[in-house]
């Protein structure tokens, strides 16, 4: 089983807050809707720290990774990126 870490916009966690507080060291990101992943039969598992979830991939291959990434929009610049805190 292979899982990918994701953050969801849930109560109190907007995209801006996630980018600023959790992804501050990342220069780029991409988004999708939970419904799109669920429609494609991906399982989302809540972890112990909101807004973090794990998405279970359909397999361990480049094809499985490409299929997963096909559900996301273009990569965007993280306007909240910092080199260090």
């Amino acid at each position: 089983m292979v899982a990918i870490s994701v953050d969801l916009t849930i109560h109190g966690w907007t995209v801006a807050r996630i980018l600023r507080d959790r992804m501050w060291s990342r220069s780029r990101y991409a988004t999708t809707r939970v419904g799109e992943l669920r429609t494609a039969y991906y399982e989302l598992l809540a972890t112990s720290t909101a807004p973090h979830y794990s998405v279970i991939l359909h397999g361990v291959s480049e094809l499985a990774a490409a299929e997963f990434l096909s559900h996301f929009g273009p990569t965007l610049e993280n306007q909240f990126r910092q080199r260090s805190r």
Side-chain angles (χ1 to χ4, degrees), residues 1-8 22 37-38 42-49 51-57 68:
M1 173 173 63
V2 174
I4 301 290
S5 291
V6 298
D7 286 331
L8 301 185
R22 294 189 45 83
L37 295 178
R38 287 188 175 150
Y42 287 98
E43 185 177 357
L44 286 87
L45 304 174
T47 62
S48 61
T49 307
H52 183 263
Y53 280 68
S54 292
V55 178
I56 308 302
L57 292 187
F68 174 71

Side-chain angles (χ1 to χ4, degrees), residues 7-81:
D7 286 331
L8 301 185
T9 54
I10 58 175
H11 181 72
W13 286 94
T14 62
V15 171
R17 183 175 177 203
I18 290 168
L19 294 174
R20 185 186 65 239
D21 295 353
R22 294 189 45 83
M23 296 184 63
W24 59 268
S25 66
R26 307 284 190 229
S27 60
R28 302 184 65 77
Y29 70 100
T31 64
T32 190
R33 296 189 178 273
V34 168
E36 169 128 1
L37 295 178
R38 287 188 175 150
T39 298
Y41 302 103
Y42 287 98
E43 185 177 357
L44 286 87
L45 304 174
T47 62
S48 61
T49 307
H52 183 263
Y53 280 68
S54 292
V55 178
I56 308 302
L57 292 187
H58 295 153
V60 183
S61 68
E62 286 185 36
L63 181 61
E67 199 276 326
F68 174 71
L69 291 174
S70 74
H71 297 284
F72 288 78
T75 58
L76 305 168
E77 295 288 330
N78 181 357
Q79 63 187 350
F80 298 99
R81 184 180 186 276

